[in-house]
Amino acid sequence: MTEPIAVLGVGMHPWGKWGRNFVEYGVAAARDALADAGLSWSDIQFVSGADTIRNGYPGFIAGATFAQALGWSGTRVASCYAACAAGAQAINTARAHILAGMCDVALVVGADTTPKGFFAPVGGDRPDDPDWLRFRLLGATNPTYFALYARRRMELFGATEEDFAQVKVKNSRHGASNPNARYRKEVSVGEVLASPLVADPLRLLEICATSDGGAAVVLSSMDFARRHAATAGEPVKVVAVSTVTPRYPNSVIEMPNFATDSGAVTASVGPTFRDSIAAAAYEESGLGPEDLDVAEVYDLSSALELDWYENIGLCKQGEAERLLRDGDTALGGRVPVNPSGGLSCFGEAIPAQAIAQVCELVWQLRDQASGRQVEGAQVGLTINQGLFGHGSSVVVTR
Amino acid sequence: MVVHHQPIPAPPPYVSPEPFAPYGIAAVELSDEKLVVLGQVADDAELRIGTEVEVVLDTLYEDDDHTYVVWKWAPV
């Protein structure tokens, strides 16, 4: 078990399609997180930026970009990219600095401005880049992969299009009163199933949009938190961050690859990659799925949320549809999943997303999630996955 | 094998035929090599999970100078 660190403050810029510079969203989120922590920018000893690859050079060095926009202060800096998992890595970089005694208090920021429509690879002719090749050779978009995973659930476990639609219905209800969510309209199963097919069997309302947004957290050592004591009572703590990669041979197709590893020489043993992400977080925290009160999972598609239920151990493989139908993962149920509304209501602002998951859990554990509160939440887990094999999971406790 | 149908075109660098034609993508398990390989379905054949397929060479796209070919999956 790793020593905990404290979350002193959280902040977001609302998700949307605002079309402004991503730096604006990051700075707004950072200022909110600092105000929430009762600290000023000059108190921050380390800034950790989650990079975006769609906004030119400033996006590749996001830590310094945000530091300059907040006003050069001489603070130490790091920037990292790990696709959808970038936010968790930025959090873990800050955590490592804090636990190593290299700083007491750190700011983590991620923000993005996204183009319309399908994500496409970054420009240029790059036939040695799997992310370029999968578009060129297969026409395989991100939703193509989500659709293949969905078909697999239908074949193996008898999931139906209505099950998938019910995930969207649940999340739309959760996010309806979330002021940071982009889509705040409740939808019905009929509306979901009447929306256009994007990647059979998935429809437009079941696939996460590409969004603009920003999220930030202020992290500190437990000693600093006790001295500072600006937050009411005991702060929410980060007790585990999982950043695992797959083990060879990975027998599940990983975006953006178009083949798995071969199991001809060495058979695949042990948990799948997605299972191993949460397993590492549980191991580090000394907690298990039975301890969870709430979870934020990466619902890139409605169907994928059901996979995550199993990956984080809320139920056995093949039982996720039943969990959903029984209302266990809805607000008021046994373990509400995506009380924020999830990607379904936010869309994806890639480097901000894993940070936003943590923001939501902190609000939940502080009893500040107005209109979507999970009563008495004490333990929460986020899970996410960045393409090219980046695991991401954060466990927080009260 | 898992198959799905792509009813709208992917963005570049995918080169869409004119007019666009929906296409299928299949995840095919190679029994001896013990790996799964994605590929487009040749001629957008109607495949079901479990169907045996074989690899064929088919046109990816053409320009003034060349015809570019790619692997695809076709029912045996």
Side-chain angles (χ1 to χ4, degrees):
Chain A
M1 282 170 61
T2 313
E3 277 181 58
I5 58 168
V7 185
L8 294 184
V10 294
M12 278 191 204
H13 182 288
W15 264 230
K17 209 71 178 176
W18 313 110
R20 298 200 303 274
N21 191 315
F22 78 99
V23 184
E24 281 186 42
Y25 314 139
V27 166
R31 290 196 173 126
D32 276 4
L34 287 164
D36 188 41
L39 292 169
S40 60
W41 162 236
S42 58
D43 296 320
I44 296 297
Q45 299 161 359
F46 178 72
V47 62
S48 184
D51 294 344
T52 163
I53 59 166
R54 291 188 171 78
N55 291 275
Y57 218 133
F60 299 136
I61 43 100
T65 298
F66 296 131
Q68 183 179 23
L70 288 159
W72 288 129
S73 64
T75 183
R76 305 276 178 127
V77 67
S79 302
C80 70
Y81 188 67
C84 301
Q89 292 216 346
I91 287 172
N92 207 32
T93 303
R95 183 175 78 132
H97 276 72
I98 291 165
L99 292 177
M102 293 165 70
C103 71
D104 297 314
V105 59
L107 173 68
V108 184
V109 192
D112 208 1
T113 300
T114 56
K116 280 188 78 148
F118 284 125
F119 276 129
V122 284
D125 242 19
R126 291 188 327 285
D128 53 358
D129 175 352
D131 197 41
W132 187 90
L133 280 173
R134 55 130 167 176
F135 282 90
R136 178 68 125 208
L137 301 182
L138 302 175
T141 63
N142 292 5
T144 296
Y145 289 79
F146 311 156
L148 288 166
Y149 295 138
R151 275 273 172 241
R152 185 171 174 275
R153 274 208 85 76
M154 296 172 99
E155 178 68 12
L156 288 178
F157 308 130
T160 64
E161 290 188 35
E162 182 168 333
D163 288 327
F164 300 155
Q166 289 288 6
V167 174
K168 171 68 184 185
V169 169
K170 169 187 76 75
N171 287 340
S172 76
R173 199 179 306 135
H174 287 182
S177 62
N178 187 340
N180 289 308
R182 174 177 173 190
Y183 302 105
R184 277 178 270 168
K185 181 178 169 290
E186 287 193 41
V187 296
S188 65
V189 168
E191 287 171 295
V192 176
L193 294 180
S195 67
L197 208 52
V198 172
D200 180 28
L202 299 172
R203 294 170 183 281
L204 186 63
L205 289 182
E206 298 180 287
I207 290 174
C208 109
T210 62
S211 289
D212 297 1
V217 294
V218 176
L219 304 173
S220 82
S221 64
M222 293 308 295
D223 279 349
F224 183 96
R226 285 187 196 105
R227 288 200 305 274
H228 175 61
T231 43
E234 187 76 1
V236 172
K237 296 182 279 290
V238 172
V239 296
V241 181
S242 164
T243 55
V244 295
T245 49
R247 285 177 190 276
Y248 184 87
N250 187 1
S251 59
V252 179
I253 293 235
E254 192 67 42
M255 199 159 74
N257 299 333
F258 39 82
T260 62
D261 297 330
S262 167
V265 176
T266 306
S268 185
V269 290
T272 65
F273 173 46
R274 284 208 208 110
D275 286 345
S276 75
I277 301 170
Y282 287 133
E283 186 183 353
E284 187 180 337
S285 64
L287 298 167
E290 65 282 1
D291 298 308
L292 291 189
D293 299 311
V294 56
E296 283 280 313
V297 309
Y298 219 57
D299 58 320
L300 289 163
S301 79
S302 55
L304 198 64
E305 176 167 317
L306 298 169
D307 283 349
W308 286 124
Y309 293 176
E310 298 165 4
N311 300 134
I312 68 173
L314 295 185
C315 61
K316 295 200 187 84
Q317 214 178 46
E319 293 182 354
E321 286 76 15
R322 186 184 54 75
L323 212 65
L324 175 77
R325 290 178 201 138
D326 289 352
D328 285 13
T329 57
L331 278 169
R334 182 167 64 84
V335 188
V337 174
N338 287 335
S340 69
L343 293 175
S344 164
C345 294
F346 275 74
E348 192 180 21
I350 293 171
Q353 216 66 46
I355 303 171
Q357 289 183 314
V358 173
C359 292
E360 173 65 14
L361 291 188
V362 169
W363 282 318
Q364 290 289 345
L365 267 55
R366 287 179 181 167
D367 205 17
Q368 293 175 336
S370 181
R372 58 184 197 284
Q373 181 64 46
V374 177
E375 293 305 322
Q378 302 280 320
V379 178
L381 172 138
T382 75
I383 195 154
N384 150 319
Q385 179 186 11
L387 81 174
F388 286 100
H390 287 101
S392 151
S393 179
V394 179
V395 179
V396 294
T397 64
R398 180 79 225 197
Chain B
M1 183 192 62
V2 178
V3 64
H4 103 94
H5 207 248
Q6 187 68 44
I8 52 177
Y14 177 66
V15 182
S16 177
E18 292 292 341
F20 169 72
Y23 52 94
I25 291 183
V28 174
E29 189 170 22
L30 309 187
S31 49
D32 291 342
E33 295 80 1
K34 294 200 171 10
L35 80 165
V36 176
V37 180
L38 296 184
Q40 281 201 6
V41 176
D43 304 321
D44 199 26
E46 277 293 324
L47 296 183
R48 304 202 64 80
I49 291 175
T51 308
E52 195 172 334
V53 295
E54 62 184 0
V55 72
V56 295
L57 286 180
D58 198 1
T59 302
L60 177 63
Y61 66 96
E62 296 171 286
D63 61 22
D64 292 343
D65 302 321
H66 298 286
T67 297
Y68 297 86
V69 295
V70 71
W71 78 90
K72 290 188 184 177
W73 300 115
V76 173

